[in-house]
Amino acid sequence: MAAPSSSMHQHDLPHVLAVDDNLIDRKLVEKLLRNSSCKVTTAENGPRALELLGLTSGGQNSMNGRSKVNLVITDYCMPGMTGYELLKKIKESSVMKEVPVVIMSSENIPTRINKCLEEGAQMFILKPLKQSDVKKLTCQLMN
Amino acid sequence: MDVGQMQRQWIDYAKSLFLEGFLDGQFLQLQQLQDENNPDFVVEVVSLFFEDSERLLKDLTFALDQNGVDFKKVDAHVHQLKGSSSSIGAQRVKNACIAFRNFCEEQNTDACLRCLQQVKQEYCLVKNKLETLFRLEQQIVAAGGSIPTELSFSG
């Protein structure tokens, strides 16, 4: 995982992609991340997240002139593609597999947590999200 | 009433909401996110919660009214409502949703209908309480005061 550059210009702020089907949770995670000096893009489902990451089956360059994503934080329980499935797709891609992925869930299920960690999730966070959770995350990210 | 009295009234009212279990610590998290850059953050998020919840409650009423109840759909709606109420600290609504999900699993329509009533009731209560709290805040701000940022629970 590459450390971001040390100068703190706007475009050097860590860019986080937050994925959650719940509107209130999206608003909350966005604010928490902004408070930790991150640039935030939100998506309401896995397919949209993959599109934003440039991982849809068009296979286009993920850069596309837009700023690179430094972290993906995703809810586990989403209709259609789950957070786990999204995690797998990211880890299977050649372009995005180094991007840390954090999974959030309201349910504390050890088998679920282990499954995600084994698939390469950097962290598993229990909802509801608190400022201290996000600070911990961004400290690790900013090294 | 002067600003100081209004602020004390706000503190007392807010404390009562925590003591009576309507709100939990997560609501304090929301308040801490409010600052000069986002002075209306709490009201904005809570307003979203009201809109979202009303939609979900409508959908739940509809889903449970069907001849063949789709419990997976009902559970999905309750899961959403449980999530958002948990995220804003609406503890009683969240707890009512937890009970509701158990009956979804059992596929018990009657029990689900009772749970829906319970959730609706808790939602109405917390909505009224929060609207009252926000009205008190507006009065304080209109009188030139600021909303207390510390809710100490000593004594």
Side-chain angles (χ1 to χ4, degrees):
Chain A
M1 176 173 74
S5 77
S6 52
S7 64
M8 293 298 280
H9 295 135
Q10 258 298 317
H11 59 268
D12 282 345
L13 293 179
H15 183 191
V16 184
L17 174 63
V19 192
D20 200 316
D21 59 315
N22 187 302
L23 174 61
I24 284 89
D25 286 344
R26 275 202 304 281
K27 184 146 174 114
L28 182 60
V29 76
E30 184 180 40
K31 184 72 170 83
L32 287 169
L33 287 165
R34 292 226 168 103
N35 271 22
S36 290
S37 307
C38 293
K39 192 173 133 180
V40 189
T41 302
T42 58
E44 51 183 271
N45 56 50
R48 179 68 186 135
L50 290 173
E51 214 179 301
L52 289 167
L53 292 169
L55 294 181
T56 44
S57 53
Q60 68 262 46
N61 184 351
S62 67
M63 299 298 184
N64 269 343
R66 74 165 92 233
S67 70
K68 187 173 182 289
V69 167
N70 302 109
L71 171 73
V72 176
I73 179 166
T74 178
D75 190 24
Y76 182 93
C77 278
M78 296 188 290
M81 187 185 293
T82 65
Y84 175 72
E85 286 158 356
L86 175 59
L87 163 69
K88 277 181 78 170
K89 287 217 162 10
I90 292 171
K91 292 301 168 187
E92 279 163 11
S93 78
S94 48
V95 193
M96 288 278 128
K97 67 179 175 204
E98 294 305 315
V99 176
V101 181
V102 173
I103 310 272
M104 311 179 269
S105 176
S106 54
E107 287 158 321
N108 190 352
I109 300 174
T111 47
R112 175 183 292 184
I113 298 172
N114 287 331
K115 189 173 75 163
C116 291
L117 294 175
E118 274 165 27
E119 198 58 43
Q122 182 181 8
M123 218 190 246
F124 190 99
I125 302 185
L126 277 179
K127 283 174 147 183
L129 247 53
K130 298 175 174 23
Q131 190 70 79
S132 55
D133 296 324
V134 175
K135 283 234 145 65
K136 205 187 325 180
L137 252 187
T138 52
C139 278
Q140 287 204 5
L141 178 71
M142 301 213 274
N143 262 43
Chain B
M1 216 188 273
D2 67 21
V3 173
Q5 283 174 302
M6 286 189 214
Q7 286 170 327
R8 275 190 296 281
Q9 186 183 45
W10 183 90
I11 289 174
D12 287 342
Y13 193 70
K15 275 193 189 180
S16 74
L17 297 185
F18 286 95
L19 290 172
E20 290 166 27
F22 287 104
L23 299 176
D24 64 28
Q26 186 64 16
F27 188 77
L28 292 174
Q29 286 281 324
L30 287 191
Q31 288 184 309
Q32 283 163 21
L33 288 174
Q34 192 157 282
D35 54 29
E36 317 80 56
N37 296 326
N38 285 90
D40 299 314
F41 181 72
V42 180
V43 173
E44 281 169 17
V45 177
V46 172
S47 301
L48 279 178
F49 169 71
F50 289 161
E51 277 173 38
D52 201 56
S53 301
E54 276 158 40
R55 177 186 58 87
L56 286 167
L57 290 171
K58 261 204 195 106
D59 291 345
L60 279 166
T61 308
F62 182 79
L64 284 169
D65 201 30
Q66 303 308 299
N67 271 327
V69 174
D70 182 349
F71 285 99
K72 265 185 125 179
K73 202 170 241 175
V74 173
D75 185 72
H77 291 321
V78 182
H79 174 83
Q80 284 289 311
L81 187 53
K82 173 179 156 260
S84 25
S85 56
S86 168
S87 292
I88 68 146
Q91 189 175 247
R92 285 204 201 176
V93 177
K94 178 191 75 173
N95 289 339
C97 289
I98 292 173
F100 198 155
R101 290 192 82 192
N102 291 333
F103 290 115
C104 286
E105 219 175 310
E106 286 179 27
Q107 307 212 348
N108 185 334
T109 307
D110 284 339
C112 283
L113 283 166
R114 280 195 297 276
C115 284
L116 178 58
Q117 273 316 106
Q118 185 70 17
V119 172
K120 280 181 174 171
Q121 205 170 299
E122 292 300 345
Y123 169 73
C124 283
L125 284 170
V126 80
K127 181 165 194 251
N128 282 336
K129 303 278 178 185
L130 286 169
E131 284 175 338
T132 302
L133 189 69
F134 294 150
R135 256 195 312 275
L136 289 173
E137 288 179 10
Q138 283 171 342
Q139 284 170 11
I140 292 171
V141 170
S146 58
I147 300 153
T149 48
E150 290 290 320
L151 271 180
S152 65
F153 283 81
S154 58

